[in-house]
């Protein structure tokens, strides 16, 4: 267990008492850890694309069906209204599914980062969080994210800049906060994100730019460097909250 008290109260204390994050140490640590997990990062990214592909097919199934049953329906250069309405109705479920899968696979990648960072022996279980009880928590987090994104759209996207920091921490709480509910994970993400918003935003921005350097290698290299931008979240969680002694491995 996290502590003798409740996981929620322990988490609040750790966040409140945590020292300010150090940009340099997290940046350097992320680069060094990436050298150990770059292959796992590539596999995670590949599995993400493969896992969400069926949902893209379902989303575009109305257009595919119209094209098969009536090939002339697209002659005017516009999609049939019926297909567009059906796709619009499917859109929330599509985003919910994609967010849930993304959260679970990112959490699994952070778990792999922990194993490599601490020298632990364990399988690279990429689908570890796509099962009970984690899947339900990931679904709740995805619902919260979907609502927050909708609210951010009402602010002409400006709110998305603020939300990018706390929501980037959600996979870490899913990975390492096994005693927390989905709502508690979201609240903890905002508490930690608000306390260190500037430094976390800078880390995400800089690491995101560094990860983009993979495009230099004929664009294919991006698939090998993209997950570098996810590693700082691991060190942010490690340096502020730490890990459960009895975490499953």
């Amino acid at each position: 267990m996290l502590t003798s008290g409740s996981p929620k109260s322990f988490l609040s204390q750790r966040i409140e008492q945590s020292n300010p994050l150090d940009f340099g140490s997290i940046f350097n640590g992320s680069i060094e850890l990436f050298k150990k997990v770059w292959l796992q990062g590539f596999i995670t990214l590949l599995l993400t694309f493969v896992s969400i592909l069926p949902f893209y097919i379902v989303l575009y199934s109305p257009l595919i069906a119209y094209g098969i049953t009536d090939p002339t329906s697209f002659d005017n250069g516009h999609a049939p209204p019926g297909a567009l309405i059906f796709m619009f109705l499917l859109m929330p479920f599509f985003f919910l599914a994609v967010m849930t899968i993304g959260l679970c696979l990112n959490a699994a990648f952070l778990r792999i980062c922990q194993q490599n960072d601490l020298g632990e022996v364990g399988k690279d279980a990429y689908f570890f969080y796509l099962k009970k009880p984690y899947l339900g928590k990931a679904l709740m987090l995805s619902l919260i994210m979907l609502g927050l994104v909708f609210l951010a759209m009402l602010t002409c996207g400006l709110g998305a800049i603020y939300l990018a920091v706390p929501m980037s921490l959600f996979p870490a709480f899913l990975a390492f906060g096994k005693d927390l509910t989905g709502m508690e994970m979201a609240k903890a993400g905002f508490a930690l994100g608000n306390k260190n918003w500037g430094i976390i935003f800078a880390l995400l921005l800089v690491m995101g730019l560094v990860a983009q350097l993979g495009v230099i290698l004929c664009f294919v290299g991006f698939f090998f460097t993209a997950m570098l931008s996810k590693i700082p979240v691991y060190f942010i969680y490690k340096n502020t909250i730490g890990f459960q002694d009895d975490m499953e491995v």
Side-chain angles (χ1 to χ4, degrees):
M1 298 295 292
L2 282 167
T3 184
S4 57
S6 69
K8 183 178 179 181
S9 62
F10 169 79
L11 201 58
S12 299
Q13 292 175 6
R14 291 302 298 267
I15 293 174
E16 292 174 1
Q17 299 172 3
S18 62
N19 295 322
L21 296 172
D22 182 78
F23 181 96
S25 64
I26 295 178
F27 180 88
N28 293 331
S30 298
I31 296 295
E32 291 301 315
L33 183 55
F34 177 70
K35 296 176 183 179
K36 301 178 183 179
V37 299
W38 65 269
L39 179 59
Q40 290 92 333
F42 169 72
I43 295 174
T44 301
L45 189 63
L46 186 62
L47 289 174
T48 301
F49 285 139
V50 172
S51 299
I52 67 177
L53 182 60
F55 296 98
Y56 273 101
I57 295 175
V58 172
L59 179 64
Y60 286 96
S61 59
L63 293 179
I64 297 174
Y66 268 96
I68 294 175
T69 58
D70 184 11
T72 63
S73 59
F74 296 94
D75 288 347
N76 60 0
H78 300 286
L84 294 178
I85 292 174
F86 194 68
M87 289 179 65
F88 179 78
L89 295 175
L90 286 175
M91 197 71 71
F93 301 99
F94 167 78
F95 284 122
L96 184 62
V98 170
M99 286 180 175
T100 302
I101 291 173
L103 270 173
C104 291
L105 290 177
N106 282 337
F109 176 67
L110 295 180
R111 182 173 180 267
I112 293 171
C113 286
Q114 185 206 34
Q115 291 174 338
N116 282 269
D117 180 43
L118 302 182
E120 298 176 350
V121 178
K123 295 190 300 182
D124 295 339
Y126 297 97
F127 299 107
F128 185 85
Y129 296 97
L130 281 168
K131 60 183 181 181
K132 293 182 178 180
Y134 303 104
L135 186 57
K137 297 178 181 181
L139 183 61
M140 173 58 69
L141 278 173
S142 297
L143 283 169
I144 294 171
M145 291 174 64
L146 195 61
L148 292 173
V149 170
F150 176 75
L151 292 177
M153 292 172 60
L154 298 180
T155 64
C156 300
L158 295 177
I161 299 176
Y162 161 70
L163 292 174
V165 168
M167 289 200 303
S168 70
L169 302 175
F170 287 0
F173 287 100
L174 178 62
F176 308 120
K178 67 176 184 179
D179 295 318
L180 302 173
T181 66
M183 182 60 70
E184 288 172 347
M185 291 177 187
K187 291 180 179 179
F190 274 92
L192 182 56
N194 289 337
K195 181 175 181 179
N196 303 275
W197 194 93
I199 192 72
I200 295 176
F201 181 80
L203 280 165
L204 295 177
L205 180 62
V206 173
M207 275 302 186
L209 293 174
V210 173
Q212 298 296 321
L213 295 178
V215 301
I216 297 176
L217 302 175
C218 301
F219 292 94
V220 178
F222 171 74
F223 294 100
F224 293 92
T225 60
M227 294 302 287
L228 171 61
S229 61
K230 306 295 184 181
I231 298 180
V233 173
Y234 163 74
F235 285 103
I236 291 169
Y237 189 97
K238 176 184 177 181
N239 294 345
T240 55
I241 298 172
F243 305 115
Q244 302 179 39
D245 294 332
D246 62 343
M247 178 182 169
E248 296 177 22
V249 295

